[in-house]
Amino acid sequence: QQPVQSPQAVILREGEDAVINCSSSKALYSVHWYRQKHGEAPVFLMILLKGGEQKGHEKISASFNEKKQQSSLYLTASQLSYSGTYFCGTEMDQAGTALIFGKGTTLSVSS
Amino acid sequence: EPEVTQTPSHQVTQMGQEVILRCVPISNHLYFYWYRQILGQKVEFLVSFYNNEISEKSEIFDDQFSVERPDGSNFTLKIRSTKLEDSAMYFCASSSTSYGYTFGSGTRLTVV
């Protein structure tokens, strides 16, 4: 079951904030966030596990609402390097099940 | 930092031919995956591999596809009788339990 991401696209100026959302209709074990720059592979940003544990990069924050099966990625004080497509990936049932990715949110940051 | 290595970076093949895409996952990772991404679209799951066997596969992963781990390091995706719609970027990824995936840089497959 593919997670739903919103918005589809965000345009920011440097220093502005953005929130990207990801929701699932099924119970999740974890939510992953990745960033992909044009022509490159997705790069892992963060994992949020059922039960509240988070692992990932220090400058990225995210939340996971287990009751609503929703996750949000918070990008604060955006920099030019934040530009790219952000994908959430959801892992159901247990560790080791394959991630299913949303359609992505394209973030463009300009100076 | 450990990397997932994929070869070749670009493969052009004629429709109907077989191709083998190769991946060297991170050595202490236990789970291996193949995904594909048609230009500008989402990353689609194909198959996952654990303990030397397929653990999950998607509807896309039909009899045209197969995976192998021929030795302790390589992980291959074989596509038989390629079709035009198989043209995509194919990513290999590996992970350990409860942490993020490390993706390789991908193989761009072009079927002509």
Side-chain angles (χ1 to χ4, degrees), chain A:
Chain A
Q1 194 84 14
Q2 181 185 334
V4 178
Q5 282 187 240
S6 62
Q8 283 188 318
V10 182
I11 299 174
L12 296 176
R13 289 283 179 91
E14 270 187 298
E16 293 181 336
D17 302 338
V19 180
I20 300 172
N21 301 302
C22 174
S23 64
S24 172
S25 58
K26 301 242 177 178
L28 301 175
Y29 176 79
S30 73
V31 179
H32 295 219
W33 287 97
Y34 292 78
R35 176 170 60 215
Q36 184 180 35
K37 292 186 180 279
H38 183 70
E40 298 180 8
V43 173
F44 171 69
L45 296 175
M46 173 162 287
I47 180 173
L48 301 107
L49 297 161
K50 187 176 172 181
E53 187 178 3
Q54 297 185 19
K55 303 177 193 177
H57 295 259
E58 292 177 0
K59 295 187 179 180
I60 302 286
S61 63
S63 63
F64 179 24
N65 184 325
E66 289 181 43
K67 285 186 181 177
K68 294 185 177 180
Q69 302 303 320
Q70 289 177 353
S71 177
S72 295
L73 183 71
Y74 305 99
L75 301 163
T76 55
S78 58
Q79 305 169 17
L80 295 176
S81 62
Y82 285 12
S83 293
T85 301
Y86 290 77
F87 291 98
C88 71
T90 52
E91 186 179 25
M92 299 197 190
D93 302 327
Q94 61 187 12
T97 52
L99 286 182
I100 303 300
F101 288 95
K103 291 186 177 180
T105 296
T106 301
L107 178 72
S108 301
V109 182
S110 61
S111 56

Side-chain angles (χ1 to χ4, degrees), chain A residues 2 29 32 34 36 38-44 47 49 55-57 87 91 95-104, chain B residues 31 33 35 37 39-45 47-48 55-56 89 91 95 97-106 108:
Chain A
Q2 181 185 334
Y29 176 79
H32 295 219
Y34 292 78
Q36 184 180 35
H38 183 70
E40 298 180 8
V43 173
F44 171 69
I47 180 173
L49 297 161
K55 303 177 193 177
H57 295 259
F87 291 98
E91 186 179 25
T97 52
L99 286 182
I100 303 300
F101 288 95
K103 291 186 177 180
Chain B
Y31 301 91
Y33 310 89
Y35 285 82
Q37 186 176 33
L39 187 63
Q41 297 187 25
K42 66 173 177 147
V43 180
E44 297 180 294
F45 169 65
V47 65
S48 61
S55 51
E56 279 182 274
M89 182 73 91
F91 290 108
S95 72
T97 306
S98 295
Y99 203 71
Y101 291 11
T102 302
F103 283 84
S105 54
R108 180 168 297 285

